[in-house]
Amino acid sequence: MSDAALATAPAEFAPWEDAQATPLIRFQNVTKRFGDFTAIDNLTIDIFEKEFFALLGPSGCGKTTMMRMLGGFETQTEGTILIDGQDVAPIPPNKRAVNMMFQSYALFPHLSVAENIAFGLKRDKMPKDQIAARVDEMLNLVQLGKFASRKPHQISGGQRQRVALARSLAKAPKLLLLDEPLGALDKKLRQDTQFELMDIQEQTGTTFVIVTHDQEEAMTVASRIAVMDHGKIIQVDTPAKIYEEPGSVYVADFIGDVNLIEGNVTTSGDDHATISWAEGQQDLIGIAHDAIPAGTRATLAIRPEKVNIATEKPADMTNIIQGKVHDIAYLGNMSTYVVETPTGQLIKAQAANTRRIRRRAITWEQDVWLSFTDTAGVVLTS
Amino acid sequence: MKRFGLISVPYLWLLALFLVPFLIVLKISLSDTALAIPPYTPTLDMSEGWAGFTAWLSGLDIENFTWLTQDDLYWKAYLSSLKIATMSTILALLVGFPIAYGMSRASDEWRPTLMMMIILPFWTSFLIRVYAWKAILSQEGLLNQLLMNIGIIGEPLTILNTNTAVYIGIVYTYLPFMVLPIYSALERLDESLLEAAEDLGCSRMTAFWLVTLPLAKQGIIAGSFLVFIPAMGEFVIPSLLGGSKTLMIGKVLWEEFFSNRDWPVASAVAVVLLLILIIPIVLFQRNEEKQREAGK
Ligand SMILES: Nc1ncnc2c1ncn2[C@@H]1O[C@H](COP(=O)(O)OP(=O)(O)O)[C@@H](O)[C@H]1O
Ligand SMILES: [Mg+2]
């Protein structure tokens, strides 16, 4: 790569860090109640143009409800929703530059694949030849050219999902809402489609809001993830931040595998804290988002792959835990060791299997030392 | 063998209850009237063996069918029946579709009650219900009294013994056959399809035309045939509610059979009616098959 290319390389896409950027979608103190049940609880959030924004959370936490409010199928009980600076409350679904891919796909069973894709274009009174061209383009995009004249019941679940995607993309909406779009697919097809979605997003520049309850999927596709629980957003951040620096035990536990070590804070600075956690073990240090008063009950969250395992006590590590191998899970490319401390706590460590299994040094019941750096774990108080 | 046994049940049923009676009627339609019991000739005399059979066969002719084309009463009656059945079907559709639509949109706790209300009339005799309409529609009947009391009309309307009364009777009687298939089609309709249509730019109204109606089509077709086919041969309703001018083939058939005691001509009328009805029956079957395929 030449120096000139390097010099003009685009800055990292992070409009949420730019105070000047105007968001495409703004939820301002939005509450949605069904009867006396609160599905969305005083929620405020900004989503920016060209984002791939993922809503992640357990079933029933209000993800679909948020989508349906954006699509115009539900009206909030309180608060304001702005799309492109405009209050959308009085705008019916058919007048919004928003398209939704339904959790159930909602393909019209009496129309062929091509007719399904053309449906929205015909409503816009687009000339016939342009519709045909656009439909072809969409069919190519989702690689379904051969199935254009089939009815939805004559194609597979995965293909139906692609038709639904093509149909919602055909009108080139400013905002595309995807409600668990890949939920019904098997793992391989799902991963392929995830990458396809990211490609499409890059090609078309559409803003995507995707609902999922699969954290891996959210990590793969999203520019930012909002972790939700009971109608509230617990944390909004980039996948890396969510994974590396979860703001709460809930988020840490929800995403990926994590060791949660509870203890009392002994000393703390602006960006780190030390906890004393078990008798006979040395204190552990991790990063902290704020200074924490000494004596506070706190949890150190540390990912298994950040924990080293060794048969001899390492000399140069800040955080060291002594224990005995309780269990080993062989995962092919790596192994997970479950280590039991003298006080009975189980801590997981992951190591890549770079050596052949026969020559592996660590076995069951062996005394081992776990270690990790002072920035590998996060000390959390909530 | 067991499989064969199972399959043969419906065929035996058809044979005993449809084909054999039909063949008997067909045979009578090819016979001549006679002052005898039964009132037609020839009758098959098995005691004379083969000679008896050939004599019986040579006694049959299509004279009665030729007669049907010569007297204009018959084709006029067929045409009039066709018209009344078609009109009744359209009216039943206009009344039945909104009912089915309303039922399918009703909340879950209401649906069984509404369904019950559609089916409930079947629990009383059809004849009694048609007689009840006589009481409602007559000059001094409930309807006229009500309208006069409200002051909408000064003179009682003549409804009973007109074609209007026949339409009312047929639509009333066969309405459930229209409502139920349409309801079952609409009930299956996934609400999210309508939302998807709106999402893609349809107003509520266009979504109804482009999604609801096409998906209810099979139900509408089934319901229409279920009303049209029996209405075509209807006899009780035109004779109880219709007037002397109401011409329907069922009534003609009855008169030939019981007033004229002309069994052969009556049978010929019945055979032609059946031939006419075979067309819609076949179309109905096709529609059902299509529906089954689409449902897969
Ligand atoms: N139309 C409705 N009437 C009553 N409750 C509803 C309705 N829609 C959703 N809810 C409730 O709101 C909560 C959130 O639902 P939803 O947004 O669908 O969750 P999810 O995150 O699984 O998509 C659930 O508890 C659900 O039962
Ligand atoms: Mg949902």
Side-chain angles (χ1 to χ4, degrees):
Chain A
M1 205 185 283
S2 72
D3 288 349
L6 270 178
T8 56
E12 201 185 336
F13 176 73
W16 50 88
E17 283 173 356
D18 179 0
Q20 248 83 64
T22 43
L24 179 67
I25 305 170
R26 308 199 80 158
F27 277 73
Q28 296 174 327
N29 304 96
V30 173
T31 296
K32 172 70 188 176
R33 289 191 201 94
F34 294 106
D36 52 10
F37 175 80
T38 308
I40 297 291
D41 192 359
N42 193 17
L43 185 146
T44 298
I45 195 177
D46 288 342
I47 300 172
F48 294 85
E49 214 173 321
K50 300 205 167 99
E51 264 206 81
F52 205 130
F53 194 89
L55 296 172
L56 185 60
S59 178
C61 71
K63 303 174 303 273
T64 297
T65 306
M66 259 184 88
M67 293 287 225
R68 290 175 58 81
M69 287 195 289
L70 283 172
F73 303 110
E74 305 281 5
T75 317
Q76 68 272 25
T77 323
E78 283 161 29
T80 323
I81 300 174
L82 303 172
I83 298 180
D84 224 7
Q86 196 182 10
D87 182 355
V88 291
I91 306 177
N94 54 334
K95 295 275 172 5
R96 297 189 182 192
V98 173
N99 282 134
M100 180 147 166
M101 181 181 161
F102 287 77
Q103 200 166 356
S104 60
Y105 307 158
L107 296 179
F108 304 120
H110 58 299
L111 300 180
S112 71
V113 166
E115 287 166 332
N116 261 286
I117 297 173
F119 191 92
L121 303 172
K122 282 189 189 153
R123 305 289 83 71
D124 284 354
K125 305 255 154 41
M126 196 188 248
K128 268 219 174 77
D129 48 336
Q130 277 182 40
I131 291 183
R134 181 75 180 155
V135 169
D136 276 346
E137 195 184 331
M138 287 298 120
L139 284 170
N140 284 337
L141 188 71
V142 294
Q143 297 164 16
L144 281 175
K146 271 183 262 166
F147 301 94
S149 56
R150 297 258 188 107
K151 290 276 172 67
H153 71 269
Q154 295 166 323
I155 55 179
S156 75
Q159 290 166 335
R160 250 174 263 167
Q161 178 263 320
R162 285 147 187 265
V163 178
L165 183 65
R167 187 179 69 178
S168 51
L169 273 170
K171 292 183 81 168
K174 215 185 272 176
L175 171 62
L176 187 62
L177 309 171
L178 307 164
D179 196 350
E180 304 209 9
L182 316 179
L185 307 187
D186 55 49
K187 195 166 178 204
K188 180 79 177 64
L189 189 55
R190 195 181 176 117
Q191 283 172 347
D192 288 352
T193 316
Q194 283 169 3
F195 287 114
E196 209 171 298
L197 276 179
M198 293 194 291
D199 276 353
I200 291 170
Q201 206 254 358
E202 232 156 70
Q203 281 170 35
T204 59
T206 310
T207 307
F208 278 55
V209 178
I210 185 172
V211 163
T212 173
H213 61 239
D214 175 352
Q215 40 111 351
E216 247 178 76
E217 185 167 294
M219 302 291 290
T220 311
V221 298
S223 62
R224 281 193 303 162
I225 297 176
V227 180
M228 292 180 70
D229 190 33
H230 286 106
K232 289 195 164 151
I233 288 187
I234 311 290
Q235 186 174 357
V236 189
D237 249 318
T238 59
K241 276 257 179 70
I242 292 257
Y243 188 77
E244 307 281 344
E245 292 171 42
S248 61
V249 174
Y250 176 81
V251 174
D253 201 20
F254 194 79
I255 300 209
D257 215 356
V258 73
N259 292 303
L260 297 172
I261 302 170
E262 259 191 75
N264 290 317
V265 174
T266 51
T267 56
S268 167
D270 272 352
D271 56 359
H272 68 276
T274 309
I275 62 164
S276 117
W277 66 284
E279 238 166 88
Q281 299 272 13
Q282 67 184 70
D283 290 356
L284 300 175
I285 184 166
I287 52 176
H289 300 296
D290 283 305
I292 308 167
T296 314
R297 200 81 188 138
T299 305
L300 178 80
I302 172 92
R303 304 279 175 198
E305 74 273 13
K306 301 234 164 87
V307 180
N308 286 317
I309 186 164
T311 47
E312 275 152 42
K313 186 170 179 173
D316 54 345
M317 284 282 195
T318 357
N319 296 308
I320 295 176
I321 300 171
Q322 188 260 319
K324 195 184 270 188
V325 176
H326 175 77
D327 205 356
I328 303 174
Y330 175 67
L331 303 171
N333 56 344
M334 58 172 77
S335 292
T336 302
Y337 301 88
V338 182
V339 173
E340 190 174 3
T341 66
T343 45
Q345 183 153 13
L346 298 177
I347 297 172
K348 285 185 207 165
Q350 237 164 30
N353 287 326
T354 43
R355 279 197 254 168
R356 295 280 296 275
I357 206 163
R358 239 176 316 121
R359 289 171 42 209
R360 199 171 50 197
I362 300 166
T363 61
W364 276 264
E365 298 300 324
Q366 189 170 0
D367 284 320
V368 288
W369 300 89
L370 300 176
S371 61
F372 48 93
T373 65
D374 54 358
T375 53
V378 198
V379 179
L380 302 166
T381 51
S382 61
Chain B
M1 202 49 217
K2 198 169 153 196
R3 208 176 138 187
F4 177 80
L6 269 181
I7 291 174
S8 68
V9 171
Y11 285 101
L12 285 176
W13 181 271
L14 259 182
L15 191 73
L17 295 174
F18 178 75
L19 206 58
V20 171
F22 174 73
L23 286 177
I24 293 173
V25 170
L26 183 65
K27 189 259 144 186
I28 297 174
S29 73
L30 298 170
S31 311
D32 294 319
T33 39
L35 279 173
I37 296 174
Y40 54 83
T41 180
T43 46
L44 184 56
D45 190 353
M46 290 299 235
S47 59
E48 293 190 25
W50 185 248
F53 181 74
T54 45
W56 174 78
L57 208 59
S58 62
L60 299 177
D61 53 56
I62 58 159
E63 194 184 15
N64 297 313
F65 290 93
T66 345
W67 169 242
L68 292 191
T69 60
Q70 281 159 356
D71 192 327
D72 63 1
L73 167 75
Y74 300 104
W75 66 261
K76 274 185 182 157
Y78 282 120
L79 267 188
S80 166
S81 291
L82 204 63
K83 189 187 127 210
I84 290 177
T86 309
M87 276 294 289
S88 310
T89 306
I90 293 170
L91 290 173
L93 179 61
L94 291 180
V95 178
F97 190 91
I99 294 178
Y101 187 78
M103 278 171 72
S104 70
R105 297 288 101 154
S107 66
D108 282 347
E109 65 238 56
W110 270 99
R111 279 189 204 176
T113 316
L114 292 172
M115 182 65 106
M116 202 62 202
M117 284 163 71
I118 295 289
I119 298 173
L120 206 61
F122 286 117
W123 290 12
T124 37
S125 151
F126 158 65
L127 217 52
I128 292 174
R129 284 183 285 133
V130 177
Y131 265 109
W133 275 105
K134 271 177 103 93
I136 295 171
L137 298 176
S138 70
Q139 296 256 311
E140 310 78 35
L142 290 173
L143 183 65
N144 274 319
Q145 278 180 18
L146 181 74
L147 291 179
M148 290 209 308
N149 281 346
I150 302 174
I152 295 178
I153 50 167
E155 294 286 298
L157 299 171
T158 317
I159 304 175
L160 191 62
N161 302 333
T162 64
N163 279 358
T164 313
V166 175
Y167 286 132
I168 293 175
I170 294 181
V171 170
Y172 162 76
T173 306
Y174 294 110
L175 195 62
F177 297 105
M178 183 62 90
V179 170
L180 293 178
I182 297 179
Y183 169 70
S184 109
L186 288 177
E187 200 210 3
R188 274 195 307 248
L189 192 141
D190 183 357
E191 185 75 31
S192 69
L193 291 181
L194 296 175
E195 288 184 345
E198 275 187 72
D199 187 65
L200 293 164
C202 282
S203 65
R204 292 260 161 95
M205 197 61 198
T206 20
F208 177 82
W209 280 106
L210 294 174
V211 180
T212 310
L213 266 193
L215 289 175
K217 194 177 88 187
Q218 309 276 333
I220 292 173
I221 294 174
S224 299
F225 281 127
L226 287 177
V227 173
F228 178 84
I229 294 168
M232 182 76 196
E234 185 52 57
F235 156 70
V236 174
I237 295 169
S239 42
L240 289 185
L241 302 179
S244 51
K245 282 202 218 121
T246 307
L247 194 56
M248 280 195 82
I249 198 66
K251 236 169 103 187
V252 171
L253 184 73
W254 193 85
E255 273 155 19
E256 289 294 351
F257 219 86
F258 294 99
S259 310
N260 290 352
R261 273 187 70 78
D262 192 339
W263 286 26
V265 167
S267 299
V269 169
V271 168
V272 172
L273 178 61
L274 188 76
L275 291 180
I276 293 174
L277 284 182
I278 275 178
I279 301 165
I281 288 172
V282 167
L283 288 177
F284 174 72
Q285 288 295 348
R286 285 243 181 100
N287 178 61
E288 291 288 290
E289 245 157 60
K290 231 202 267 170
Q291 200 171 340
R292 229 169 295 137
E293 251 163 50
K296 261 180 219 163

